[in-house]
């Protein structure tokens, strides 16, 4: 079955280290998204991509970067991890429904702890 | 930007009870989705509902876009319904979802 996967599912890292979270989807969706979830804030958009070589900043993009070299993958990189980036990270991709509208589906999440 | 408010923030029910969750949004939207985040953290799609009413088993949803709200109905609640329910919207030509802060539902046996 087509799906969206994230790895690792859990990660502990130290302040200042570079960390990359992987997201892979087999639906051949053009549109992919990264969100973070924190208590009291719900889910907030970090970066998104509408296709290969396309990347855009979301609401909380500082300290994060993405690259899109193929349709299936959108890795999220924390250039220099900070304690404020301790969070649960969700990747999503969107499926075209109708009338120009899309429905997003989410991966299982990655719990990142920065010590 | 658009504000998405969900109510109530917390809800405790006994098994078998019915409930209504509300999502208000501050501006016009072109899409709305409801999600259930289960106790293991997984986000599960419930409804894609930019307008109108849909039903799926014990769950149904109604979106009245002109009045800027959506309702999620849960009937005959079960313990497996526990978790956090989110609504999320998109505006204009954007596909970026803006989430509410969720309603935490606890269903007791």
């Amino acid at each position: 079955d087509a799906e969206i996967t994230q790895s690792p599912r859990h990660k502990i890292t130290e302040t200042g280290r570079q960390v990359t979270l992987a997201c892979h989807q087999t639906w051949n969706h053009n549109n992919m998204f990264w969100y973070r979830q924190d208590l009291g804030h719900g889910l907030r958009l970090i970066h998104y991509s509408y296709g290969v070589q396309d990347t855009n900043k979301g609401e909380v993009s500082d300290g994060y970067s993405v690259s899109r070299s193929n349709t299936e993958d959108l890795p999220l990189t924390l250039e220099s991890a900070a304690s404020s980036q301790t969070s649960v990270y969700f990747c999503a991709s969107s499926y075209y429904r109708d009338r120009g509208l899309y429905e997003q589906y989410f991966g299982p999440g990655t719990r990142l702890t920065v010590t | 930007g658009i504000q998405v408010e969900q109510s109530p923030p917390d809800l405790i029910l006994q098994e078998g009870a019915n409930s209504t969750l509300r999502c208000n949004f501050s501006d016009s939207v072109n899409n709305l989705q409801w999600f259930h985040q289960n106790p293991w953290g997984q986000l599960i799609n419930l409804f894609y509902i930019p307008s109108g009413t849909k039903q799926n088993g014990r769950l149904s949803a109604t979106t009245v876009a002109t009045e800027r709200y959506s309702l999620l109905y849960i009937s005959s609640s079960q313990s497996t319904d526990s978790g956090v329910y989110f609504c999320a919207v998109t505006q204009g030509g954007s596909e970026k979802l803006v989430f509410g802060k969720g309603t935490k539902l606890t269903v007791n046996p």
Side-chain angles (χ1 to χ4, degrees):
Chain A
D1 286 342
E3 60 178 354
I4 183 166
T5 57
Q6 295 183 233
S7 62
R9 296 293 313 279
H10 302 270
K11 174 79 175 176
I12 301 174
T13 192
E14 296 178 345
T15 300
R17 289 191 181 270
Q18 183 180 80
V19 177
T20 297
L21 309 182
C23 175
H24 180 79
Q25 52 97 3
T26 59
W27 286 310
N28 204 34
H29 291 167
N30 283 326
N31 308 325
M32 297 183 71
F33 308 81
W34 274 103
Y35 297 84
R36 61 177 287 176
Q37 184 177 27
D38 305 287
L39 282 174
H41 290 280
L43 281 87
R44 294 177 292 174
L45 182 65
I46 306 172
H47 281 287
Y48 59 102
S49 170
Y50 288 154
V52 176
Q53 303 300 331
D54 176 74
T55 61
N56 306 278
K57 294 181 178 180
E59 177 187 357
V60 290
S61 61
D62 287 349
Y64 303 95
S65 63
V66 294
S67 61
R68 188 85 180 275
S69 60
N70 58 52
T71 301
E72 296 80 17
D73 299 291
L74 187 68
L76 177 71
T77 297
L78 287 68
E79 302 293 343
S80 178
S83 58
S84 60
Q85 295 176 308
T86 293
S87 187
V88 179
Y89 291 85
F90 287 96
C91 179
S93 68
S94 64
Y95 160 73
Y96 181 76
R97 289 295 299 266
D98 53 38
R99 296 181 291 154
L101 301 178
Y102 291 76
E103 180 175 5
Q104 284 191 30
Y105 287 84
F106 284 76
T110 294
R111 183 174 296 275
L112 176 67
T113 302
V114 182
T115 61
Chain B
I2 191 170
Q3 304 297 313
V4 181
E5 296 184 357
Q6 293 186 241
S7 59
D10 293 279
L11 185 59
I12 300 174
L13 301 174
Q14 295 295 124
E15 274 190 342
N18 302 327
S19 62
T20 301
L21 282 58
R22 188 175 181 99
C23 174
N24 291 334
F25 35 95
S26 61
D27 202 350
S28 59
V29 300
N30 61 1
N31 192 16
L32 187 143
Q33 290 185 236
W34 281 99
F35 297 90
H36 175 214
Q37 187 167 38
N38 63 24
W40 295 270
Q42 185 179 5
L43 280 162
I44 299 165
N45 290 44
L46 295 178
F47 292 102
Y48 160 88
I49 188 164
S51 63
T53 297
K54 293 185 178 180
Q55 180 153 9
N56 184 3
R58 296 181 295 103
L59 273 61
S60 64
T62 295
T63 295
V64 184
T66 54
E67 297 187 18
R68 301 182 184 173
Y69 73 90
S70 183
L71 302 173
L72 178 67
Y73 306 95
I74 304 174
S75 64
S76 304
S77 57
Q78 301 175 358
S79 58
T80 52
D81 296 329
S82 294
V84 183
Y85 290 80
F86 290 100
C87 74
V89 302
T90 63
Q91 285 188 287
S94 172
E95 295 177 47
K96 296 179 287 183
L97 282 173
V98 177
F99 282 78
K101 293 186 177 181
T103 292
K104 183 178 181 181
L105 175 65
T106 302
V107 181
N108 292 321

